[in-house]
Amino acid sequence: MPVLTPIGVVRSPYCSRKDAPRQGRLSETISEIVVFDAFREGIRDLADHRFLFVLTWFHEADRGVLAATPPAEQRSHGVFSTRSPDRPNPIGLCLVKLLELEGLVLRVQWLDAIDGTPVLDIKPCHRPLDCPEGAGQQVSISSARTPLE
Amino acid sequence: MPVLTPIGVVRSPYCSRKDAPRQGRLSETISEIVVFDAFREGIRDLADHRFLFVLTWFHEADRGVLAATPPAEQRSHGVFSTRSPDRPNPIGLCLVKLLELEGLVLRVQWLDAIDGTPVLDIKPCHRPLDCPEGAGQQVSISSARTPLE
């Protein structure tokens, strides 16, 4: 079975699951991702991208959950039909806006992870690949970039 | 360190890394995701969603890679600035279009994973959360659904 290696950690004002917003996207809160020194080379040129997917490990999740009821709903659904953090492999997927990269620290908006959450991966978001609207469009990775302003 | 539990496996006509398209999005190829029976409850209501993120484990990846040169480019970038499958935690993130759900088998388009790739997670794509364009919009998870036609 594959074993994960955290590449960094979230520093956030959200201290517990109940503090975290249901949708980080609606919040102005700024969080930090502190990348570990061993992975410094991996973030080279990251500031060429404005929108990033951050993959985290929901370390407080219940991995035995197979059904969940989303906050706005009355009935439960299979967990893969929801974004519940409680799931067999509790990998968080969060689109963030990169505000600043300083050394090993990314300052980002929209991240809904709580303080201390392990970070597994960071990937640039490329609209034509990652959004339903772009279906069938040829992607030039270079032109897909939206650098920090 | 967290240990992953595959919840299913990819059945694809791509047999090796060199067969797989650089961007599955540009291909008409249909792949299958076979969910393991232990996770059957987890896919209940999945057909309510048309666009899904599939998280896979790139089991053939080189986890020691910290820099990569995208196919269309001349110079290397930090691996977190790229979508290279070779990365410290080689978790694949692929938006797919769900064509059919039959029992434990999802038939999907756009998946770029090779045959035998372990599947870690499936999440519905919600445009206002997952696409840069939706920034700041309130999301109703119910209305965000785009059921199979």
Side-chain angles (χ1 to χ4, degrees):
Chain A
M1 296 293 179
V3 178
L4 297 166
T5 305
I7 61 127
V9 66
V10 171
R11 290 292 165 225
S12 149
Y14 309 130
C15 293
S16 73
R17 283 181 60 164
K18 71 173 170 34
D19 295 336
R22 187 164 73 84
Q23 292 165 14
R25 187 67 172 258
L26 301 176
S27 163
E28 298 289 309
T29 302
I30 294 170
S31 300
E32 291 181 348
I33 295 169
V34 182
V35 174
F36 298 144
D37 193 55
F39 301 98
R40 178 184 293 271
E41 167 70 0
I43 58 171
R44 185 164 48 88
D45 302 325
L46 203 58
D48 287 352
H49 301 275
R50 184 139 178 89
F51 298 104
L52 303 171
F53 285 114
V54 178
L55 277 62
T56 57
W57 184 255
F58 287 132
H59 55 304
E60 297 191 1
D62 178 349
R63 300 182 66 178
V65 167
L66 287 178
T69 305
E73 300 198 34
Q74 303 301 314
R75 70 179 187 89
S76 81
H77 302 277
V79 77
F80 302 125
S81 308
T82 78
R83 296 292 282 257
S84 167
D86 295 312
R87 52 206 305 124
N89 292 298
I91 299 171
L93 173 65
C94 194
L95 181 74
V96 304
K97 180 158 45 162
L98 179 61
L99 302 178
E100 191 180 15
L101 173 63
E102 195 180 332
L104 291 166
V105 179
L106 286 69
R107 296 182 72 238
V108 302
Q109 246 175 342
W110 304 344
L111 189 61
D112 56 6
I114 65 173
D115 191 57
T117 298
V119 176
L120 303 176
D121 200 8
I122 301 167
K123 299 178 193 289
C125 171
H126 295 311
R127 291 178 180 82
L129 286 182
D130 301 315
C131 300
E133 284 68 23
Q137 291 175 24
Q138 179 81 38
V139 187
S140 158
I141 298 298
S142 311
S143 68
R145 290 205 167 123
T146 312
L148 288 173
E149 277 138 25
Chain B
M1 295 294 179
V3 178
L4 297 167
T5 305
I7 60 126
V9 67
V10 171
R11 291 290 166 228
S12 150
Y14 310 129
C15 293
S16 72
R17 283 181 60 163
K18 71 174 171 31
D19 295 337
R22 189 163 73 85
Q23 292 166 15
R25 188 66 171 260
L26 300 176
S27 163
E28 298 289 310
T29 302
I30 294 170
S31 300
E32 291 181 347
I33 295 169
V34 182
V35 174
F36 299 144
D37 193 55
F39 301 98
R40 178 184 293 271
E41 166 70 1
I43 58 171
R44 185 163 50 85
D45 301 326
L46 203 58
D48 287 352
H49 301 275
R50 185 140 177 91
F51 298 104
L52 304 171
F53 285 113
V54 177
L55 277 63
T56 56
W57 184 255
F58 287 131
H59 55 303
E60 297 191 0
D62 178 348
R63 299 182 66 178
V65 167
L66 287 178
T69 305
E73 300 198 33
Q74 303 301 316
R75 70 180 187 88
S76 81
H77 302 276
V79 77
F80 301 125
S81 309
T82 78
R83 295 294 282 259
S84 167
D86 296 312
R87 51 206 306 127
N89 293 297
I91 299 170
L93 173 65
C94 193
L95 180 75
V96 304
K97 180 159 43 164
L98 178 61
L99 302 178
E100 191 180 17
L101 174 63
E102 196 180 333
L104 291 166
V105 179
L106 287 67
R107 296 182 72 240
V108 303
Q109 246 176 343
W110 304 343
L111 189 61
D112 56 5
I114 65 174
D115 191 58
T117 299
V119 176
L120 303 176
D121 200 7
I122 301 169
K123 299 179 193 288
C125 171
H126 295 312
R127 292 179 179 80
L129 286 182
D130 300 315
C131 300
E133 284 69 23
Q137 290 174 23
Q138 180 80 37
V139 187
S140 158
I141 298 298
S142 310
S143 68
R145 289 204 170 122
T146 312
L148 288 173
E149 278 136 28

